[in-house]
Amino acid sequence: ETGVTQSPTHLIKTRGQQVTLRCSSQSGHNTVSWYQQALGQGPQFIFQYYREEENGRGNFPPRFSGLQFPNYSSELNVNALELDDSALYLCASSQDRQHEQYFGPGTRLTVT
Amino acid sequence: RKEVEQDPGPFNVPEGATVAFNCTYSNSASQSFFWYRQDCRKEPKLLMSVYSSGNEDGRFTAQLNRASQYISLLIRDSKLSDSATYLCVVLDGSARQLTFGSGTQLTVLP
């Protein structure tokens, strides 16, 4: 086990709704990255938080936003959900930005 | 052109076989390289980092060729438990973003 936890495990939402996903990083890790994985694809980078600040962003619209807290846990918020947002959302933690990233079990989001 | 390209497979091999996966990446400024393993409907798990000199961990050997922008993974003496999707992963030059290939599916048959 990596020590990275995510909640909830599964979630079903309706188009247009908003969702918040949570991630607790591994002890000693100060960097959290979020990824979206559609079925049959590799994970796609959404953004990274390092010491409570956004430290890089992938090709996702502004309705994807996040936070990192002083204990280095993190949230991913998605507004105005679309059907294509249905995916596995993964968070990964690392010690600083240079090190290997370890993934949590993911949140499977279904938008209907 | 995709940033990280892998042969999607599937690779179906008998137990005990040797299998090799290849991967190419497009960003010459990429900083670090990894192989992750992902079981069905589970999270990716770090299998090994890939170093310029090549590295080995038991039955697994990884190679990196920066000049050709090419990464490989060799699995010797395949076990049934090796069945999974293997993801080639590149860390960009700013050390922020992991870029994943689409994965190569391996099934080891009894």
Side-chain angles (χ1 to χ4, degrees):
Chain A
E1 296 297 328
T2 63
V4 181
T5 61
Q6 290 186 245
S7 62
T9 306
H10 295 88
L11 203 51
I12 300 174
K13 289 286 190 178
T14 304
R15 259 178 78 181
Q17 286 188 313
Q18 178 265 342
V19 68
T20 297
L21 311 182
R22 295 179 175 82
C23 171
S24 291
S25 59
Q26 186 174 325
S27 177
H29 286 185
N30 56 16
T31 303
V32 173
S33 303
W34 285 92
Y35 296 83
Q36 180 195 67
Q37 186 174 24
L39 206 58
Q41 301 295 318
Q44 299 291 312
F45 176 72
I46 303 175
F47 42 55
Q48 183 184 85
Y49 279 84
Y50 172 66
R51 295 187 175 180
E52 301 180 59
E53 293 197 0
E54 188 177 291
N55 185 50
R57 189 178 183 94
N59 190 26
F60 280 81
R63 59 188 185 85
F64 286 77
S65 63
L67 281 175
Q68 187 178 33
F69 300 100
N71 66 355
Y72 302 128
S73 66
S74 178
E75 285 182 356
L76 164 65
N77 299 293
V78 187
N79 293 323
L81 283 166
E82 300 177 1
L83 296 179
D84 284 349
D85 296 333
S86 296
L88 179 67
Y89 287 85
L90 295 158
C91 80
S93 77
S94 56
Q95 175 54 51
D96 295 329
R97 296 159 291 179
Q98 306 286 340
H99 292 69
E100 294 98 345
Q101 297 185 13
Y102 296 90
F103 285 83
T107 295
R108 192 164 297 280
L109 173 65
T110 302
V111 182
T112 61
Chain B
R1 183 186 171 189
K2 288 185 180 178
E3 291 185 56
V4 180
E5 295 210 52
Q6 293 183 250
D7 181 344
F11 284 57
N12 298 317
V13 303
E15 265 187 292
T18 295
V19 60
F21 302 138
N22 302 317
C23 168
T24 57
Y25 61 95
S26 61
N27 185 354
S28 60
S30 297
Q31 187 178 90
S32 303
F33 309 89
F34 309 94
W35 285 99
Y36 278 75
R37 166 200 171 123
Q38 187 170 27
D39 293 289
C40 187
R41 301 183 73 80
K42 299 282 191 180
E43 75 273 22
K45 293 187 176 177
L46 179 64
L47 181 64
M48 57 198 305
S49 302
V50 187
Y51 304 118
S52 296
S53 55
N55 49 299
E56 188 174 309
D57 182 2
R59 299 181 293 108
F60 299 84
T61 300
Q63 295 278 351
L64 167 65
N65 184 323
R66 283 189 184 269
S68 302
Q69 295 180 202
Y70 170 92
I71 307 160
S72 65
L73 176 69
L74 184 76
I75 305 176
R76 291 181 300 278
D77 189 22
S78 299
K79 311 290 185 192
L80 296 177
S81 58
D82 294 334
S83 297
T85 296
Y86 290 82
L87 296 159
C88 176
V89 186
V90 173
L91 183 64
D92 72 354
S94 67
R96 293 168 187 169
Q97 176 175 345
L98 289 181
T99 299
F100 287 77
S102 295
T104 299
Q105 186 180 341
L106 171 67
T107 301
V108 181
L109 304 168

